[in-house]
Amino acid sequence: MAVNGLSFSVSPDDVFTHVGAPDETRVNFDGEVEYLYRLDEHHAVIYRCFHQRLVECTFPDLGPLIINGQAIVSAGPWIASQPGALDIAKFWISPEHCIAYDHRNPANGSITVYRHGHWDALIQQARSL
């Protein structure tokens, strides 16, 4: 699985080679290092690495996109309609596709693509409720 031409588990240096130097680097509450690339004053793409490996990428929902070679007009409803999709922690999550949609603010949603297994704890917790 890959996002924007980068396979999961590549090193941060591979991200920098492919995308360039980030505008900002920070560490989130899970200990992931976030590399932020600003698109404009309101939007950014964030590549997250854990233990020096790419584990997920979040980007703004700016319209149609390609998921597994399929053109998708609107990511949020598509993810929510997938078999086994979950609505938890303010995300629609498709475990089968390793993709989540943050629907807290429908006018400014974001899409997170994650490495297989990276969100398993959250997904298992949600399924047990």
Side-chain angles (χ1 to χ4, degrees), residues 8-122:
F8 285 105
S9 295
V10 299
S11 72
D13 287 339
D14 293 325
V15 174
F16 306 152
T17 298
H18 188 76
V19 186
D23 296 310
E24 183 180 335
T25 300
R26 60 191 183 201
V27 178
N28 69 19
F29 61 91
D30 287 329
E32 298 166 340
V33 179
E34 298 183 331
Y35 302 103
L36 186 126
Y37 295 83
R38 287 187 184 81
L39 302 176
D40 59 36
E41 64 183 79
H42 301 289
H43 301 99
V45 175
I46 304 170
Y47 292 85
R48 291 184 188 84
C49 293
F50 191 66
H51 297 296
Q52 294 293 307
R53 296 290 165 216
L54 179 63
V55 293
E56 65 183 52
C57 180
T58 299
F59 48 98
D61 180 8
L62 298 176
L65 68 155
I66 305 294
I67 300 175
N68 294 336
Q70 180 181 2
I72 305 299
V73 175
S74 183
W78 181 86
I79 293 167
S81 71
Q82 295 307 296
L86 303 165
D87 184 1
I88 53 172
K90 301 179 182 161
F91 285 92
W92 288 319
I93 303 170
S94 173
E96 179 181 336
H97 295 93
C98 297
I99 190 168
Y101 188 84
D102 182 341
H103 61 78
R104 286 178 282 191
N105 179 354
N108 199 21
S110 65
I111 302 156
T112 298
V113 181
Y114 56 91
R115 185 190 75 208
H116 181 74
H118 187 62
W119 283 35
D120 281 1
L122 175 66

